[in-house]
Amino acid sequence: GIQVEQSPPDLILQEGANSTLRCNFSDSVNNLQWFHQNPWGQLINLFYIPSGTKQNGRLSATTVATERYSLLYISSSQTTDSGVYFCAVESGGGADGLTFGKGTHLIIQP
Amino acid sequence: DVKVTQSSRYLVKRTGEKVFLECVQDMDHENMFWYRQDPGLGLRLIYFSYDVKMKEKGDIPEGYSVSREKKERFSLILESASTNQTSMYLCASSPLLLAGDSFYEQYFGPGTRLTVT
């Protein structure tokens, strides 16, 4: 099956810093999503981005499908950005389930 | 807004008990999914369903079964709970692919943290 690798596994930054999280995948995909998992375990949808670039406030994401990677950018980090960020992909017909990376654990220090 | 709800946030069961985890979505989505999340292993797909009464095995179906009698509800069943099924269980739903579109986006419930003692 498709492989998903996220880097870095852990990232510690000061408040106000910018960060880039990377997701590499091993095959072409029909779906790529970025999630933020909050301390209570809820997965919050950040982006649905199988290709192209999207922006939402301080967050933006770019997927280069031909090169099989996606980047999540967080600018002017806040302590509330802390948590685990997951990239997940699907290469089937939309009903096959997502394959998740292991996540990037982000800690933003005040 | 899409809303996916799960019957319990925390659940404690004994080994050998039959356990039902319920998931309900309110967006008329065709597809529904059950995942479990474990430290070091990430999120893994247990079962999914693309229609009422239809089910497909995911990556780790052993020890689980599912039921989908109504479109909005997808139940995960542990026939005889074991300690290795202690985990965080997450339900998700997504709409059917439409021709010319790629709206596969999945929406997740808050999760059920199950402990089997």
Side-chain angles (χ1 to χ4, degrees):
Chain A
I2 193 166
Q3 305 296 314
V4 182
E5 292 186 2
Q6 290 187 244
S7 60
D10 300 283
L11 188 58
I12 301 174
L13 298 171
Q14 295 297 122
E15 202 166 20
N18 301 328
S19 58
T20 300
L21 282 57
R22 186 177 179 102
C23 172
N24 293 333
F25 44 95
S26 61
D27 204 347
S28 57
V29 297
N30 294 314
N31 179 7
L32 188 146
Q33 292 182 240
W34 283 98
F35 298 92
H36 176 210
Q37 189 165 42
N38 66 22
W40 298 272
Q42 172 87 55
L43 283 171
I44 309 298
N45 291 43
L46 297 178
F47 294 103
Y48 169 80
I49 188 166
S51 64
T53 297
K54 291 185 178 179
Q55 178 150 12
N56 185 3
R58 296 183 295 102
L59 274 60
S60 64
T62 295
T63 297
V64 183
T66 53
E67 296 186 24
R68 298 181 183 168
Y69 73 89
S70 182
L71 301 173
L72 177 68
Y73 305 98
I74 305 173
S75 64
S76 305
S77 300
Q78 301 174 358
T79 55
T80 52
D81 294 331
S82 297
V84 184
Y85 289 81
F86 288 102
C87 168
V89 303
E90 182 177 22
S91 58
D96 295 339
L98 291 167
T99 298
F100 282 77
K102 294 290 174 65
T104 292
H105 187 196
L106 177 65
I107 297 173
I108 305 297
Q109 296 178 332
Chain B
D1 274 357
V2 176
K3 191 164 185 183
V4 181
T5 58
Q6 295 183 227
S7 50
S8 306
R9 291 301 309 274
Y10 300 93
L11 205 54
V12 180
K13 295 292 182 181
R14 293 193 180 276
T15 301
E17 278 193 82
K18 189 169 186 175
V19 181
F20 293 87
L21 303 182
E22 307 286 343
C23 175
V24 178
Q25 49 94 4
D26 67 355
M27 282 301 294
D28 201 36
H29 284 171
E30 284 74 15
N31 306 321
M32 296 189 75
F33 308 84
W34 276 106
Y35 298 84
R36 65 177 281 178
Q37 184 177 18
D38 301 287
L41 297 175
L43 283 95
R44 295 174 291 167
L45 181 66
I46 305 171
Y47 265 99
F48 60 98
S49 168
Y50 52 88
D51 200 355
V52 175
K53 296 192 184 296
M54 304 302 291
K55 60 184 179 183
E56 294 287 341
K57 293 180 180 179
D59 299 319
I60 50 164
E62 297 78 19
Y64 303 95
S65 62
V66 290
S67 172
R68 193 164 180 202
E69 297 296 319
K70 293 185 178 181
K71 189 176 185 180
E72 68 271 17
R73 187 180 298 269
F74 191 35
S75 302
L76 181 69
I77 303 158
L78 288 65
E79 293 288 342
S80 178
S82 63
T83 54
N84 63 13
Q85 293 178 309
T86 292
S87 185
M88 174 72 142
Y89 290 88
L90 291 151
C91 174
S93 72
S94 71
L96 183 68
L97 169 66
L98 303 175
D101 297 320
S102 299
F103 295 123
Y104 297 100
E105 186 169 6
Q106 288 191 23
Y107 298 87
F108 281 78
T112 295
R113 197 170 293 278
L114 172 67
T115 301
V116 182
T117 61

